[in-house]
Amino acid sequence: KSWELLDPDSRAIIGDEMEFNRRLADRHKPFEMKIVKKGGEIRRVIVSNAAIELHEGQSEIFGVVHDITERKKTEEHIRYLSFHDHLTGLYNRAFVEEELRRLCISRDLPIGVLLCGVNGLKLVNDAFGHREGDKLLQCFVIVLRESCRKGDIICRWGGDEFILILPEASERNLESLQ
């Protein structure tokens, strides 16, 4: 039965098997869902179905299930890359712009924003090569992570510049990072 394939979260949302079957019968457009394979592996699928009228007023639901798990993983990876810096693993400028919009309407006020940079990165790159400059940036990121609170957001703004977003920051929080 298709009900038995649903992941536990989907079952909790839908309620019971009868409600699931009613929803299947009412659906005419493909929809996404998660299913659980034998062994517990969760897969993402698209389900296309139709209720077919049989004789004497009875109907059956026929459907096609297409596994889209790998496509979803690829989409998630692309989304990750679009909001993260490849060298440091930090969020990037695109993420900062979206996050600031979100934070400005949240209840995390006041928001502290600090812009900082690595002095002498160009000199290190010119004298020792970009590999050493990259190592310097990565070491700087470690210092930033150790200096920030758990909910603070550290982003690479570009080149040698970093931006710190500190939700619910006091002046004391900001001064402690200088």
Side-chain angles (χ1 to χ4, degrees), residues 83-114:
F83 285 120
H84 289 81
D85 175 62
H86 72 281
L87 175 66
T88 62
L90 296 176
Y91 291 115
N92 63 17
R93 189 177 191 136
F95 176 85
V96 170
E97 291 169 358
E98 279 201 21
E99 188 66 6
L100 285 175
R101 274 189 227 104
R102 186 189 71 77
L103 285 172
C104 286
I105 59 171
S106 76
R107 298 172 197 245
D108 297 328
L109 300 174
I111 298 170
V113 179
L114 293 175

PDB file of all heavy atoms in Angstrom, residues 83-114:
ATOM      1  N   PHE A  83      25.244  30.261  -2.066  1.00  0.00           N
ATOM      2  CA  PHE A  83      25.270  31.082  -0.854  1.00  0.00           C
ATOM      3  C   PHE A  83      26.517  30.888  -0.003  1.00  0.00           C
ATOM      4  O   PHE A  83      26.574  31.366   1.128  1.00  0.00           O
ATOM      5  CB  PHE A  83      24.034  30.803   0.003  1.00  0.00           C
ATOM      6  CG  PHE A  83      22.777  31.411  -0.547  1.00  0.00           C
ATOM      7  CD1 PHE A  83      21.703  30.609  -0.874  1.00  0.00           C
ATOM      8  CD2 PHE A  83      22.673  32.767  -0.752  1.00  0.00           C
ATOM      9  CE1 PHE A  83      20.541  31.157  -1.387  1.00  0.00           C
ATOM     10  CE2 PHE A  83      21.525  33.335  -1.260  1.00  0.00           C
ATOM     11  CZ  PHE A  83      20.452  32.523  -1.578  1.00  0.00           C
ATOM     12  N   HIS A  84      27.516  30.162  -0.509  1.00  0.00           N
ATOM     13  CA  HIS A  84      28.729  29.920   0.267  1.00  0.00           C
ATOM     14  C   HIS A  84      29.984  30.221  -0.546  1.00  0.00           C
ATOM     15  O   HIS A  84      30.014  30.023  -1.757  1.00  0.00           O
ATOM     16  CB  HIS A  84      28.778  28.459   0.741  1.00  0.00           C
ATOM     17  CG  HIS A  84      27.790  28.162   1.807  1.00  0.00           C
ATOM     18  ND1 HIS A  84      26.478  27.904   1.533  1.00  0.00           N
ATOM     19  CD2 HIS A  84      27.919  28.095   3.157  1.00  0.00           C
ATOM     20  CE1 HIS A  84      25.832  27.680   2.664  1.00  0.00           C
ATOM     21  NE2 HIS A  84      26.686  27.796   3.655  1.00  0.00           N
ATOM     22  N   ASP A  85      31.000  30.671   0.157  1.00  0.00           N
ATOM     23  CA  ASP A  85      32.306  30.922  -0.431  1.00  0.00           C
ATOM     24  C   ASP A  85      33.056  29.597  -0.532  1.00  0.00           C
ATOM     25  O   ASP A  85      33.132  28.849   0.448  1.00  0.00           O
ATOM     26  CB  ASP A  85      33.074  31.903   0.472  1.00  0.00           C
ATOM     27  CG  ASP A  85      34.484  32.131   0.006  1.00  0.00           C
ATOM     28  OD1 ASP A  85      34.663  32.644  -1.112  1.00  0.00           O
ATOM     29  OD2 ASP A  85      35.416  31.766   0.766  1.00  0.00           O
ATOM     30  N   HIS A  86      33.599  29.306  -1.694  1.00  0.00           N
ATOM     31  CA  HIS A  86      34.234  28.001  -1.914  1.00  0.00           C
ATOM     32  C   HIS A  86      35.526  27.817  -1.114  1.00  0.00           C
ATOM     33  O   HIS A  86      35.870  26.715  -0.732  1.00  0.00           O
ATOM     34  CB  HIS A  86      34.492  27.766  -3.405  1.00  0.00           C
ATOM     35  CG  HIS A  86      35.601  28.604  -3.956  1.00  0.00           C
ATOM     36  ND1 HIS A  86      35.452  29.928  -4.282  1.00  0.00           N
ATOM     37  CD2 HIS A  86      36.888  28.299  -4.210  1.00  0.00           C
ATOM     38  CE1 HIS A  86      36.600  30.407  -4.719  1.00  0.00           C
ATOM     39  NE2 HIS A  86      37.488  29.445  -4.686  1.00  0.00           N
ATOM     40  N   LEU A  87      36.249  28.885  -0.827  1.00  0.00           N
ATOM     41  CA  LEU A  87      37.524  28.771  -0.119  1.00  0.00           C
ATOM     42  C   LEU A  87      37.334  28.575   1.384  1.00  0.00           C
ATOM     43  O   LEU A  87      37.948  27.707   1.994  1.00  0.00           O
ATOM     44  CB  LEU A  87      38.395  30.010  -0.369  1.00  0.00           C
ATOM     45  CG  LEU A  87      39.706  30.060   0.406  1.00  0.00           C
ATOM     46  CD1 LEU A  87      40.639  28.938  -0.056  1.00  0.00           C
ATOM     47  CD2 LEU A  87      40.376  31.417   0.253  1.00  0.00           C
ATOM     48  N   THR A  88      36.471  29.375   1.970  1.00  0.00           N
ATOM     49  CA  THR A  88      36.343  29.391   3.427  1.00  0.00           C
ATOM     50  C   THR A  88      35.157  28.579   3.944  1.00  0.00           C
ATOM     51  O   THR A  88      35.111  28.264   5.128  1.00  0.00           O
ATOM     52  CB  THR A  88      36.178  30.835   3.922  1.00  0.00           C
ATOM     53  OG1 THR A  88      34.959  31.367   3.363  1.00  0.00           O
ATOM     54  CG2 THR A  88      37.367  31.691   3.535  1.00  0.00           C
ATOM     55  N   GLY A  89      34.192  28.300   3.089  1.00  0.00           N
ATOM     56  CA  GLY A  89      32.981  27.625   3.530  1.00  0.00           C
ATOM     57  C   GLY A  89      32.000  28.557   4.225  1.00  0.00           C
ATOM     58  O   GLY A  89      30.921  28.142   4.634  1.00  0.00           O
ATOM     59  N   LEU A  90      32.365  29.827   4.342  1.00  0.00           N
ATOM     60  CA  LEU A  90      31.476  30.813   4.956  1.00  0.00           C
ATOM     61  C   LEU A  90      30.372  31.200   3.980  1.00  0.00           C
ATOM     62  O   LEU A  90      30.452  30.955   2.781  1.00  0.00           O
ATOM     63  CB  LEU A  90      32.256  32.074   5.323  1.00  0.00           C
ATOM     64  CG  LEU A  90      33.339  31.960   6.376  1.00  0.00           C
ATOM     65  CD1 LEU A  90      34.056  33.294   6.530  1.00  0.00           C
ATOM     66  CD2 LEU A  90      32.758  31.510   7.704  1.00  0.00           C
ATOM     67  N   TYR A  91      29.350  31.850   4.533  1.00  0.00           N
ATOM     68  CA  TYR A  91      28.343  32.433   3.654  1.00  0.00           C
ATOM     69  C   TYR A  91      29.004  33.501   2.794  1.00  0.00           C
ATOM     70  O   TYR A  91      30.031  34.067   3.158  1.00  0.00           O
ATOM     71  CB  TYR A  91      27.222  33.063   4.475  1.00  0.00           C
ATOM     72  CG  TYR A  91      26.370  32.055   5.204  1.00  0.00           C
ATOM     73  CD1 TYR A  91      26.344  32.013   6.591  1.00  0.00           C
ATOM     74  CD2 TYR A  91      25.590  31.147   4.501  1.00  0.00           C
ATOM     75  CE1 TYR A  91      25.559  31.091   7.263  1.00  0.00           C
ATOM     76  CE2 TYR A  91      24.803  30.226   5.159  1.00  0.00           C
ATOM     77  CZ  TYR A  91      24.796  30.201   6.541  1.00  0.00           C
ATOM     78  OH  TYR A  91      24.026  29.292   7.199  1.00  0.00           O
ATOM     79  N   ASN A  92      28.383  33.804   1.645  1.00  0.00           N
ATOM     80  CA  ASN A  92      28.940  34.805   0.741  1.00  0.00           C
ATOM     81  C   ASN A  92      28.050  36.049   0.682  1.00  0.00           C
ATOM     82  O   ASN A  92      27.054  36.161   1.394  1.00  0.00           O
ATOM     83  CB  ASN A  92      29.155  34.204  -0.653  1.00  0.00           C
ATOM     84  CG  ASN A  92      27.859  33.752  -1.309  1.00  0.00           C
ATOM     85  OD1 ASN A  92      26.767  34.140  -0.905  1.00  0.00           O
ATOM     86  ND2 ASN A  92      27.969  32.914  -2.315  1.00  0.00           N
ATOM     87  N   ARG A  93      28.406  36.965  -0.193  1.00  0.00           N
ATOM     88  CA  ARG A  93      27.716  38.244  -0.306  1.00  0.00           C
ATOM     89  C   ARG A  93      26.241  38.081  -0.673  1.00  0.00           C
ATOM     90  O   ARG A  93      25.384  38.796  -0.155  1.00  0.00           O
ATOM     91  CB  ARG A  93      28.440  39.094  -1.359  1.00  0.00           C
ATOM     92  CG  ARG A  93      27.968  40.503  -1.429  1.00  0.00           C
ATOM     93  CD  ARG A  93      28.800  41.289  -2.438  1.00  0.00           C
ATOM     94  NE  ARG A  93      28.532  42.687  -2.316  1.00  0.00           N
ATOM     95  CZ  ARG A  93      29.458  43.622  -2.320  1.00  0.00           C
ATOM     96  NH1 ARG A  93      30.728  43.304  -2.457  1.00  0.00           N
ATOM     97  NH2 ARG A  93      29.128  44.884  -2.210  1.00  0.00           N
ATOM     98  N   ALA A  94      25.921  37.142  -1.556  1.00  0.00           N
ATOM     99  CA  ALA A  94      24.524  36.913  -1.934  1.00  0.00           C
ATOM    100  C   ALA A  94      23.693  36.521  -0.713  1.00  0.00           C
ATOM    101  O   ALA A  94      22.558  36.978  -0.534  1.00  0.00           O
ATOM    102  CB  ALA A  94      24.438  35.835  -3.016  1.00  0.00           C
ATOM    103  N   PHE A  95      24.273  35.676   0.142  1.00  0.00           N
ATOM    104  CA  PHE A  95      23.569  35.274   1.354  1.00  0.00           C
ATOM    105  C   PHE A  95      23.360  36.474   2.273  1.00  0.00           C
ATOM    106  O   PHE A  95      22.276  36.645   2.851  1.00  0.00           O
ATOM    107  CB  PHE A  95      24.339  34.181   2.093  1.00  0.00           C
ATOM    108  CG  PHE A  95      23.700  33.808   3.397  1.00  0.00           C
ATOM    109  CD1 PHE A  95      22.678  32.884   3.430  1.00  0.00           C
ATOM    110  CD2 PHE A  95      24.101  34.407   4.586  1.00  0.00           C
ATOM    111  CE1 PHE A  95      22.066  32.556   4.631  1.00  0.00           C
ATOM    112  CE2 PHE A  95      23.498  34.080   5.787  1.00  0.00           C
ATOM    113  CZ  PHE A  95      22.482  33.151   5.805  1.00  0.00           C
ATOM    114  N   VAL A  96      24.398  37.297   2.441  1.00  0.00           N
ATOM    115  CA  VAL A  96      24.317  38.462   3.325  1.00  0.00           C
ATOM    116  C   VAL A  96      23.157  39.358   2.916  1.00  0.00           C
ATOM    117  O   VAL A  96      22.377  39.796   3.768  1.00  0.00           O
ATOM    118  CB  VAL A  96      25.636  39.273   3.311  1.00  0.00           C
ATOM    119  CG1 VAL A  96      25.471  40.600   4.029  1.00  0.00           C
ATOM    120  CG2 VAL A  96      26.756  38.481   3.921  1.00  0.00           C
ATOM    121  N   GLU A  97      23.034  39.619   1.631  1.00  0.00           N
ATOM    122  CA  GLU A  97      21.975  40.513   1.168  1.00  0.00           C
ATOM    123  C   GLU A  97      20.592  39.957   1.501  1.00  0.00           C
ATOM    124  O   GLU A  97      19.721  40.695   1.956  1.00  0.00           O
ATOM    125  CB  GLU A  97      22.145  40.767  -0.323  1.00  0.00           C
ATOM    126  CG  GLU A  97      23.389  41.612  -0.600  1.00  0.00           C
ATOM    127  CD  GLU A  97      23.771  41.689  -2.076  1.00  0.00           C
ATOM    128  OE1 GLU A  97      23.100  41.067  -2.915  1.00  0.00           O
ATOM    129  OE2 GLU A  97      24.761  42.385  -2.367  1.00  0.00           O
ATOM    130  N   GLU A  98      20.395  38.663   1.316  1.00  0.00           N
ATOM    131  CA  GLU A  98      19.108  38.058   1.670  1.00  0.00           C
ATOM    132  C   GLU A  98      18.899  38.027   3.174  1.00  0.00           C
ATOM    133  O   GLU A  98      17.809  38.290   3.675  1.00  0.00           O
ATOM    134  CB  GLU A  98      19.007  36.636   1.100  1.00  0.00           C
ATOM    135  CG  GLU A  98      18.624  36.620  -0.348  1.00  0.00           C
ATOM    136  CD  GLU A  98      18.038  35.288  -0.776  1.00  0.00           C
ATOM    137  OE1 GLU A  98      17.555  34.510   0.076  1.00  0.00           O
ATOM    138  OE2 GLU A  98      18.049  35.040  -1.982  1.00  0.00           O
ATOM    139  N   GLU A  99      19.932  37.681   3.917  1.00  0.00           N
ATOM    140  CA  GLU A  99      19.815  37.560   5.362  1.00  0.00           C
ATOM    141  C   GLU A  99      19.525  38.908   6.013  1.00  0.00           C
ATOM    142  O   GLU A  99      18.729  38.987   6.949  1.00  0.00           O
ATOM    143  CB  GLU A  99      21.093  36.945   5.943  1.00  0.00           C
ATOM    144  CG  GLU A  99      21.012  36.603   7.393  1.00  0.00           C
ATOM    145  CD  GLU A  99      20.019  35.500   7.730  1.00  0.00           C
ATOM    146  OE1 GLU A  99      19.429  34.879   6.825  1.00  0.00           O
ATOM    147  OE2 GLU A  99      19.812  35.259   8.922  1.00  0.00           O
ATOM    148  N   LEU A 100      20.136  39.971   5.530  1.00  0.00           N
ATOM    149  CA  LEU A 100      19.875  41.289   6.092  1.00  0.00           C
ATOM    150  C   LEU A 100      18.421  41.699   5.863  1.00  0.00           C
ATOM    151  O   LEU A 100      17.795  42.285   6.751  1.00  0.00           O
ATOM    152  CB  LEU A 100      20.828  42.335   5.507  1.00  0.00           C
ATOM    153  CG  LEU A 100      22.253  42.277   6.046  1.00  0.00           C
ATOM    154  CD1 LEU A 100      23.138  43.274   5.312  1.00  0.00           C
ATOM    155  CD2 LEU A 100      22.284  42.531   7.550  1.00  0.00           C
ATOM    156  N   ARG A 101      17.867  41.370   4.695  1.00  0.00           N
ATOM    157  CA  ARG A 101      16.442  41.651   4.448  1.00  0.00           C
ATOM    158  C   ARG A 101      15.577  40.896   5.462  1.00  0.00           C
ATOM    159  O   ARG A 101      14.636  41.447   6.030  1.00  0.00           O
ATOM    160  CB  ARG A 101      16.045  41.243   3.026  1.00  0.00           C
ATOM    161  CG  ARG A 101      16.304  42.306   2.010  1.00  0.00           C
ATOM    162  CD  ARG A 101      15.696  41.952   0.653  1.00  0.00           C
ATOM    163  NE  ARG A 101      16.703  42.196  -0.348  1.00  0.00           N
ATOM    164  CZ  ARG A 101      17.429  41.272  -0.974  1.00  0.00           C
ATOM    165  NH1 ARG A 101      17.213  40.019  -0.779  1.00  0.00           N
ATOM    166  NH2 ARG A 101      18.347  41.614  -1.839  1.00  0.00           N
ATOM    167  N   ARG A 102      15.907  39.636   5.691  1.00  0.00           N
ATOM    168  CA  ARG A 102      15.128  38.817   6.621  1.00  0.00           C
ATOM    169  C   ARG A 102      15.268  39.341   8.052  1.00  0.00           C
ATOM    170  O   ARG A 102      14.285  39.481   8.773  1.00  0.00           O
ATOM    171  CB  ARG A 102      15.594  37.364   6.563  1.00  0.00           C
ATOM    172  CG  ARG A 102      14.737  36.420   7.406  1.00  0.00           C
ATOM    173  CD  ARG A 102      15.340  35.045   7.504  1.00  0.00           C
ATOM    174  NE  ARG A 102      16.537  34.998   8.330  1.00  0.00           N
ATOM    175  CZ  ARG A 102      16.540  35.005   9.658  1.00  0.00           C
ATOM    176  NH1 ARG A 102      15.422  35.087  10.329  1.00  0.00           N
ATOM    177  NH2 ARG A 102      17.676  34.945  10.328  1.00  0.00           N
ATOM    178  N   LEU A 103      16.490  39.654   8.450  1.00  0.00           N
ATOM    179  CA  LEU A 103      16.720  40.112   9.819  1.00  0.00           C
ATOM    180  C   LEU A 103      16.068  41.459  10.106  1.00  0.00           C
ATOM    181  O   LEU A 103      15.659  41.714  11.234  1.00  0.00           O
ATOM    182  CB  LEU A 103      18.218  40.189  10.106  1.00  0.00           C
ATOM    183  CG  LEU A 103      18.913  38.851  10.320  1.00  0.00           C
ATOM    184  CD1 LEU A 103      20.420  39.043  10.389  1.00  0.00           C
ATOM    185  CD2 LEU A 103      18.404  38.160  11.565  1.00  0.00           C
ATOM    186  N   CYS A 104      15.974  42.299   9.099  1.00  0.00           N
ATOM    187  CA  CYS A 104      15.388  43.626   9.306  1.00  0.00           C
ATOM    188  C   CYS A 104      13.903  43.564   9.642  1.00  0.00           C
ATOM    189  O   CYS A 104      13.358  44.503  10.204  1.00  0.00           O
ATOM    190  CB  CYS A 104      15.634  44.517   8.090  1.00  0.00           C
ATOM    191  SG  CYS A 104      17.352  45.064   8.003  1.00  0.00           S
ATOM    192  N   ILE A 105      13.253  42.465   9.306  1.00  0.00           N
ATOM    193  CA  ILE A 105      11.837  42.329   9.646  1.00  0.00           C
ATOM    194  C   ILE A 105      11.618  41.335  10.782  1.00  0.00           C
ATOM    195  O   ILE A 105      10.502  41.058  11.161  1.00  0.00           O
ATOM    196  CB  ILE A 105      10.989  41.923   8.418  1.00  0.00           C
ATOM    197  CG1 ILE A 105      11.459  40.605   7.826  1.00  0.00           C
ATOM    198  CG2 ILE A 105      10.987  43.011   7.382  1.00  0.00           C
ATOM    199  CD1 ILE A 105      10.549  40.043   6.758  1.00  0.00           C
ATOM    200  N   SER A 106      12.699  40.800  11.327  1.00  0.00           N
ATOM    201  CA  SER A 106      12.576  39.831  12.423  1.00  0.00           C
ATOM    202  C   SER A 106      12.593  40.561  13.758  1.00  0.00           C
ATOM    203  O   SER A 106      12.653  41.778  13.831  1.00  0.00           O
ATOM    204  CB  SER A 106      13.709  38.814  12.350  1.00  0.00           C
ATOM    205  OG  SER A 106      14.908  39.392  12.803  1.00  0.00           O
ATOM    206  N   ARG A 107      12.604  39.788  14.802  1.00  0.00           N
ATOM    207  CA  ARG A 107      12.634  40.339  16.155  1.00  0.00           C
ATOM    208  C   ARG A 107      14.026  40.266  16.755  1.00  0.00           C
ATOM    209  O   ARG A 107      14.191  40.358  17.961  1.00  0.00           O
ATOM    210  CB  ARG A 107      11.644  39.586  17.026  1.00  0.00           C
ATOM    211  CG  ARG A 107      10.235  39.728  16.519  1.00  0.00           C
ATOM    212  CD  ARG A 107       9.312  38.809  17.284  1.00  0.00           C
ATOM    213  NE  ARG A 107       8.084  38.648  16.535  1.00  0.00           N
ATOM    214  CZ  ARG A 107       6.913  39.067  16.962  1.00  0.00           C
ATOM    215  NH1 ARG A 107       6.804  39.656  18.112  1.00  0.00           N
ATOM    216  NH2 ARG A 107       5.841  38.888  16.221  1.00  0.00           N
ATOM    217  N   ASP A 108      15.038  40.088  15.909  1.00  0.00           N
ATOM    218  CA  ASP A 108      16.413  39.945  16.386  1.00  0.00           C
ATOM    219  C   ASP A 108      17.117  41.291  16.523  1.00  0.00           C
ATOM    220  O   ASP A 108      18.321  41.373  16.428  1.00  0.00           O
ATOM    221  CB  ASP A 108      17.213  39.053  15.425  1.00  0.00           C
ATOM    222  CG  ASP A 108      16.662  37.641  15.359  1.00  0.00           C
ATOM    223  OD1 ASP A 108      16.130  37.171  16.377  1.00  0.00           O
ATOM    224  OD2 ASP A 108      16.767  37.020  14.295  1.00  0.00           O
ATOM    225  N   LEU A 109      16.364  42.353  16.741  1.00  0.00           N
ATOM    226  CA  LEU A 109      16.934  43.687  16.812  1.00  0.00           C
ATOM    227  C   LEU A 109      17.484  43.943  18.209  1.00  0.00           C
ATOM    228  O   LEU A 109      16.973  43.399  19.174  1.00  0.00           O
ATOM    229  CB  LEU A 109      15.867  44.713  16.457  1.00  0.00           C
ATOM    230  CG  LEU A 109      15.276  44.559  15.051  1.00  0.00           C
ATOM    231  CD1 LEU A 109      14.133  45.538  14.857  1.00  0.00           C
ATOM    232  CD2 LEU A 109      16.323  44.750  13.985  1.00  0.00           C
ATOM    233  N   PRO A 110      18.490  44.753  18.385  1.00  0.00           N
ATOM    234  CA  PRO A 110      19.252  45.414  17.320  1.00  0.00           C
ATOM    235  C   PRO A 110      20.224  44.443  16.647  1.00  0.00           C
ATOM    236  O   PRO A 110      20.618  43.443  17.229  1.00  0.00           O
ATOM    237  CB  PRO A 110      20.024  46.502  18.062  1.00  0.00           C
ATOM    238  CG  PRO A 110      20.200  45.946  19.438  1.00  0.00           C
ATOM    239  CD  PRO A 110      18.978  45.099  19.721  1.00  0.00           C
ATOM    240  N   ILE A 111      20.567  44.777  15.430  1.00  0.00           N
ATOM    241  CA  ILE A 111      21.503  43.955  14.664  1.00  0.00           C
ATOM    242  C   ILE A 111      22.825  44.696  14.574  1.00  0.00           C
ATOM    243  O   ILE A 111      22.880  45.848  14.143  1.00  0.00           O
ATOM    244  CB  ILE A 111      20.969  43.690  13.243  1.00  0.00           C
ATOM    245  CG1 ILE A 111      19.655  42.927  13.300  1.00  0.00           C
ATOM    246  CG2 ILE A 111      21.998  42.921  12.420  1.00  0.00           C
ATOM    247  CD1 ILE A 111      18.936  42.837  11.979  1.00  0.00           C
ATOM    248  N   GLY A 112      23.885  44.028  14.979  1.00  0.00           N
ATOM    249  CA  GLY A 112      25.220  44.589  14.827  1.00  0.00           C
ATOM    250  C   GLY A 112      25.814  44.109  13.516  1.00  0.00           C
ATOM    251  O   GLY A 112      25.664  42.950  13.147  1.00  0.00           O
ATOM    252  N   VAL A 113      26.460  45.009  12.789  1.00  0.00           N
ATOM    253  CA  VAL A 113      27.115  44.646  11.542  1.00  0.00           C
ATOM    254  C   VAL A 113      28.533  45.188  11.583  1.00  0.00           C
ATOM    255  O   VAL A 113      28.751  46.381  11.787  1.00  0.00           O
ATOM    256  CB  VAL A 113      26.372  45.232  10.311  1.00  0.00           C
ATOM    257  CG1 VAL A 113      27.087  44.869   9.021  1.00  0.00           C
ATOM    258  CG2 VAL A 113      24.928  44.736  10.267  1.00  0.00           C
ATOM    259  N   LEU A 114      29.497  44.291  11.446  1.00  0.00           N
ATOM    260  CA  LEU A 114      30.907  44.689  11.437  1.00  0.00           C
ATOM    261  C   LEU A 114      31.532  44.271  10.120  1.00  0.00           C
ATOM    262  O   LEU A 114      31.329  43.146   9.653  1.00  0.00           O
ATOM    263  CB  LEU A 114      31.666  44.008  12.573  1.00  0.00           C
ATOM    264  CG  LEU A 114      31.321  44.404  13.990  1.00  0.00           C
ATOM    265  CD1 LEU A 114      32.090  43.543  14.977  1.00  0.00           C
ATOM    266  CD2 LEU A 114      31.638  45.862  14.224  1.00  0.00           C
TER     267      LEU A 114
END
